[in-house]
Amino acid sequence: MTPTFPKGTLLAFYGDDFTGSTDAMEVTALAGLKTVLFAGTPSAGTLAEFADYPVIGIAGVARSKDPAWMEANLRPALAALAARHPRILQYKVCSTFDSSARIGSIGKAIDIGRDVLEPDWSPCIVGAPQLGRWQIFSNLFAVAAGTAHRIDRHPTMSRHPVTPMHEADLRLHLSQQTDAPVGSIDIGEMQSSLAASKVMAARDANQVTFIDVADAQTQAIAGRLVWENSERSLFSASSSGLQYALVAHWREAGLLAAQPPEFASPPPVDRLLVLSGSCSPVTAAQIAAAEAAGFASIRLDVIATSDRKTAVAELTRVEEAIAEGFAKSRGVIVYAARTVDDPNFSRLKERAAQSAMTFDEAQDSIGRALGSLAHACVSRFNLTRLVVAGGDTSGRVLEALPIHALELKYPLGRGAPICASHSHEEAFNGLELVLKGGQLGQETLFIDALG
């Protein structure tokens, strides 16, 4: 007898940033599961529109917020998702797990989620080999420029301007953010009879439990450990590694077809606007490749956008530069910086130090500026496709647009699909969006998005 997939909401997640949210949506959608991503906490009426979707998510911005903000905003969002009685409720974290007790606290999110759902354990899966992420004996590794680095030695994440990673053992890193008991199931235990007893002990202790993922085999085992021990709703703070692990197990168990459904390739568009607030070398390489292919590029004056007195004039300048760019090229890029060593970041830090604003607030002004440009340019230039690079930036841009939900439309780059927008405004309904995390996507991503 062929196993049947359970009905109802199997997985509900809150993404801590917008790019990570589309990454999570991509995994289950490409596996053939109807998945919708809301651009904010949905009303009961909006939820009812998607009642038959087994996977639902909320794209959030908690990664860049403090614990007080999370208490006021994350708690009601998780409660709204919990009201759908999902088998698994997830706080979707970035696959680099960068966070601190002050900003983007994963520990605070876990405390809120466990309070909302009252699960008997909270498994965490962060490793996702598909994204160049591996967790071995609770230590996280990530690829940069084709080379795997321990996360505390990663050339970008160890120097992240807001949440640098100085500890690779995720148990130790998380313990600085929560008083909840933290444990693990390592790759040696997963492939032995110890796994079952470790899960039982974790449930007895109501533990936050990291589960190693190093390859396809351990990924499927991790998915099985979570799925078979979720008969009582559980809460999980995990990257899209959770989605990958569950899909791997569901396929092995015959709950999903071994071969995923085919998706059409994206057709070319007349013109494409790329807005980047990312400081990742991956994004820098994507910008350089697009420039070499003929894209026009415009550097945003981050000092001007951080000051209300000069921000309007700067946005006017950039919008006119975009118009000039489209007169010469089908693709235009507006970017704030190339890497963490970009002079724009040094200037922004100096600006923050000389004013009443913090560096976080100054950096946030970049996202707001790019959001204003996105809103103005979609209508002015009749854009049908838009690319945004950077997790925090993507959140700010989508907040500026009248869009209430996204669904995957075309695959494009791993973790960066082309999404179709749901909006009550004609110019934005159906708008195709790519929300790209700084570390994700092939070098030709922007070129491929233009077609």
Side-chain angles (χ1 to χ4, degrees):
M1 183 176 178
T2 303
T4 57
F5 217 73
K7 295 186 181 298
T9 304
L10 306 179
L11 175 64
F13 67 90
Y14 174 99
D16 69 348
D17 71 8
F18 277 62
T19 58
S21 301
T22 57
D23 165 32
M25 173 179 66
E26 177 187 48
V27 180
T28 50
L30 289 180
L33 293 170
K34 293 175 69 174
T35 305
V36 63
L37 179 65
F38 300 109
T41 303
S43 65
T46 300
L47 277 171
E49 292 179 35
F50 300 91
D52 61 335
Y53 283 57
V55 183
I56 61 174
I58 295 174
V61 294
R63 183 181 177 189
S64 61
K65 301 300 184 181
D66 62 24
W69 184 96
M70 296 173 79
E71 184 65 40
N73 296 273
L74 178 60
R75 183 178 292 275
L78 290 177
L81 292 174
R84 281 283 290 265
H85 304 291
R87 183 155 170 172
I88 300 171
L89 177 62
Q90 176 191 13
Y91 177 72
K92 194 278 173 191
V93 305
C94 182
S95 61
T96 51
F97 214 76
D98 54 303
S99 54
S100 72
R102 185 180 67 86
I103 294 293
S105 173
I106 297 172
K108 177 63 176 179
I110 288 173
D111 291 343
I112 293 172
R114 283 157 61 90
D115 188 43
V116 166
L117 202 63
E118 297 184 348
D120 61 353
W121 75 309
S122 300
C124 295
I125 298 177
V126 183
Q130 294 88 341
L131 302 178
R133 308 288 188 265
W134 301 269
Q135 184 183 300
I136 304 170
F137 294 101
S138 296
N139 282 262
L140 182 61
F141 296 80
V143 164
T147 301
H149 302 266
R150 206 173 68 186
I151 200 67
D152 59 340
R153 297 176 180 174
H154 189 279
T156 302
M157 302 317 300
S158 65
R159 303 168 61 218
H160 190 283
V162 180
T163 49
M165 286 294 283
H166 298 147
E167 174 57 65
D169 188 326
L170 299 187
R171 294 168 300 186
L172 299 179
H173 180 71
L174 183 63
S175 292
Q176 297 172 11
Q177 303 174 24
T178 178
D179 292 328
V182 179
S184 63
I185 302 175
D186 65 47
I187 55 174
E189 295 163 336
M190 290 171 69
Q191 300 180 66
S192 72
S193 58
L194 289 174
S197 61
K198 289 281 290 197
V199 171
M200 186 176 298
R203 297 182 74 168
D204 287 343
N206 196 2
Q207 187 185 79
V208 178
T209 310
F210 286 100
I211 305 177
D212 280 356
V213 170
D215 52 24
Q217 182 183 16
T218 50
Q219 189 167 68
I221 293 172
R224 175 178 59 80
L225 292 176
V226 171
W227 186 247
E228 291 183 350
N229 292 279
S230 63
E231 68 279 0
R232 173 182 169 182
S233 291
L234 62 79
F235 177 79
S236 173
S238 295
S239 73
S240 59
L242 174 65
Q243 278 80 354
Y244 281 113
L246 289 172
V247 167
H249 168 63
W250 289 335
R251 284 183 176 144
E252 280 197 355
L255 294 169
L256 282 179
Q259 292 298 321
E262 290 188 9
F263 282 76
S265 298
V269 290
D270 293 336
R271 52 182 55 170
L272 179 76
L273 178 62
V274 178
L275 302 172
S276 176
S278 169
C279 60
S280 163
V282 174
T283 306
Q286 291 162 342
I287 293 172
E291 289 172 330
F295 277 59
S297 64
I298 303 159
R299 176 181 281 266
L300 187 71
D301 185 335
V302 299
I303 301 301
T305 59
S306 69
D307 189 331
R308 291 183 180 179
K309 297 177 182 178
T310 55
V312 173
E314 171 61 6
L315 293 179
T316 300
R317 178 193 73 83
V318 173
E319 190 175 331
E320 292 311 311
I322 292 171
E324 293 174 8
F326 279 136
K328 302 173 184 177
S329 174
R330 293 169 56 222
V332 175
I333 301 170
V334 179
Y335 68 95
R338 299 272 179 160
T339 68
V340 292
D341 296 317
D342 192 290
N344 259 354
F345 274 115
S346 299
R347 293 174 62 218
L348 198 61
K349 287 180 180 178
E350 292 174 6
R351 166 81 173 86
Q354 295 169 2
S355 67
M357 71 169 58
T358 65
F359 177 62
D360 295 342
E361 291 170 336
Q363 199 173 29
D364 196 44
S365 66
I366 296 172
R368 291 197 304 271
L370 294 176
S372 296
L373 284 171
H375 193 280
C377 290
V378 166
S379 299
R380 176 174 176 179
F381 301 112
N382 296 315
L383 299 178
T384 59
R385 188 176 295 165
L386 180 70
V387 177
V388 186
D392 297 340
T393 303
S394 292
R396 283 303 187 197
V397 169
L398 204 52
E399 283 179 341
L401 304 180
I403 292 169
H404 60 266
L406 299 171
E407 290 191 68
L408 185 142
K409 189 171 184 180
Y410 305 110
L412 180 66
R414 180 76 74 176
I418 296 176
C419 302
S421 304
H422 291 264
S423 174
H424 298 301
E425 293 191 20
E426 185 177 354
F428 294 90
N429 191 42
L431 174 68
E432 294 175 359
L433 274 175
V434 179
L435 305 179
K436 187 204 86 70
Q439 300 296 318
L440 298 180
Q442 66 275 20
E443 191 170 289
T444 58
L445 185 80
F446 301 156
I447 303 166
D448 298 339
L450 176 60

